[in-house]
Amino acid sequence: MAFNSLKHAFFFLLIVLSTSHIANAGDPDIISDFILPEGVISVDGSFFTYTPFAKSLNAYEPDTFQVIKATMAQFPALNGQSVSYAILLFPIGTVNPPHTHPRSAELLFLLRGTLEVGFVDTTNKLYTQTLQAGDMFVFPKGLVHYQYSSDAKESSVAVSAFGSASAGTVSVPLAVFNTSIDNGILAKSFKTDIATIQKIKAGLAP
């Protein structure tokens, strides 16, 4: 009886530890209020302030789709805080190609225009929605997703929040066609010929 109770307690402890690990599978927790860059011993309020977004919100109209990021790389005060932002600028008819964020979900808030958005789950089911200004949409962590500015008269601007100071971005077209994966393997994978693969690669070249 005692052995069974001990076995059950041990099993319960394993479950708690495993679920705790899953729950904390994002950015690691820190044991201080914030993390200073190496060699820095004192900061003031400016360290916690990020201003580059101001330009994009003041009638800045790019010619192509652009992302302005506030991640740990651009804003060191985010180190250890498990948050980051990005502003997405969509001229009319532009697309943010299919991509993933391996370390975070994405919560998108549309400020202006119209966006067609979608993501694909692990069963290859596609979920789509047409967003209007003021709408929000969540892209689950690690899943392939995209956004398309479908308004024929107005460009679109969105803000995305992430639950990681460095969510990471893996562009599906670039990861597949702009790396050194053999053309023969790609041709077999996409059930086409090498010439077609080469044309796709040429179209994606910088």
Side-chain angles (χ1 to χ4, degrees), residues 26-30 77-84 104 161-166:
D27 292 359
D29 287 335
I30 60 176
L78 296 182
N79 188 5
Q81 304 303 320
S82 299
V83 292
S84 59
S104 176
F162 301 92
S164 169
S166 182

Side-chain angles (χ1 to χ4, degrees), residues 93-187:
T94 56
V95 64
N96 186 4
H99 61 283
T100 70
H101 303 294
R103 293 183 288 274
S104 176
E106 175 182 357
L107 183 60
L108 181 144
F109 177 61
L110 185 59
L111 296 174
R112 185 180 76 199
T114 303
L115 280 183
E116 292 182 15
V117 301
F119 71 85
V120 180
D121 71 11
T122 54
T123 68
N124 290 328
K125 180 178 179 180
L126 174 65
Y127 299 81
T128 64
Q129 188 63 273
T130 299
L131 305 181
Q132 307 296 330
D135 291 344
M136 298 182 83
F137 192 86
V138 62
F139 301 100
K141 179 179 178 179
L143 297 185
V144 173
H145 60 280
Y146 66 88
Q147 301 107 17
Y148 169 61
S149 180
S150 56
D151 193 319
K153 297 181 179 180
E154 185 179 26
S155 59
S156 302
V157 178
V159 176
S160 285
F162 301 92
S164 169
S166 182
T169 301
V170 179
S171 168
V172 173
L174 296 182
V176 173
F177 294 104
N178 269 16
T179 55
S180 55
I181 300 175
D182 181 79
N183 286 345
I185 292 174
L186 290 176

